[in-house]
Amino acid sequence: MSPKFHAVQGVVSAAVLYPFIGGDALLFGLAVFLIDLDHLIPYLRDCKSLSISRFFAYHRAVPDIPDYLALAWFHTLECMLLLFALGFWRYEFWVVLAACLFHILFDVVKAIQMGKPFIRAFSFVEYVIRRKGKQTSHCV
């Protein structure tokens, strides 16, 4: 999904949730958008560049790469489990967890629409197991 889509998704979801959960809706909306900051990790690793235009070109190219396997750290089961556990300390982590799951749902739907439902690993363990024979890096 594009940053623009996730920004709209965050704003709309925050607006819809605000009457029900108050200020936590703002945290939810922000988390829906900011979860994608993890996409910087492979870009910086692969391209060693801070160019914003190259960053977007890098991610636009991914769906066209055969047998590509992505790993987005904040989209992993391990990250979700960490947020869940931290929620026992501060409930705001559960708000962020809900936002992340909401965001990931849209990502999964988009991957299915693209015909690449397995383009992303949703766990570090899954990534280690599936990466053999897959392309896991590229640069534009």
Side-chain angles (χ1 to χ4, degrees):
M1 293 278 173
S2 72
K4 190 182 300 183
F5 177 86
H6 284 308
V8 170
Q9 180 187 22
V11 168
V12 170
S13 62
V16 168
L17 290 173
Y18 190 81
F20 304 101
I21 63 173
D24 290 335
L26 302 175
L27 175 62
F28 184 96
L30 196 58
V32 165
F33 180 72
L34 292 179
I35 184 178
D36 273 344
L37 286 177
D38 63 358
H39 294 303
L40 288 169
I41 297 167
Y43 169 70
L44 292 172
R45 176 200 66 203
D46 295 348
C47 299
K48 296 168 183 49
S49 170
L50 295 176
S51 167
I52 298 298
S53 61
R54 282 185 67 199
F55 170 75
F56 288 113
Y58 173 90
H59 284 289
R60 276 193 305 273
V62 166
D64 297 327
I65 300 172
D67 290 326
Y68 189 79
L69 180 63
L71 177 68
W73 293 18
F74 300 159
H75 293 67
T76 63
L77 174 63
E78 292 85 353
C79 183
M80 300 304 121
L81 291 172
L82 177 62
L83 290 170
F84 179 75
L86 289 170
F88 289 103
W89 174 56
R90 300 276 312 192
Y91 79 92
E92 289 89 353
F93 287 105
W94 286 336
V95 174
V96 172
L97 172 61
C100 290
L101 293 172
F102 180 69
H103 170 108
I104 292 167
L105 174 66
F106 283 84
D107 284 354
V108 168
V109 169
K110 177 66 174 179
I112 291 168
Q113 287 175 341
M114 291 184 333
K116 297 206 169 202
F118 304 109
I119 196 167
R120 177 181 289 158
F122 289 101
S123 165
F124 288 101
V125 173
E126 177 192 3
Y127 181 78
V128 168
I129 292 169
R130 290 184 50 213
R131 74 180 175 180
K132 188 172 186 166
K134 301 281 188 182
Q135 184 168 341
T136 58
S137 65
H138 74 96
C139 197
V140 292

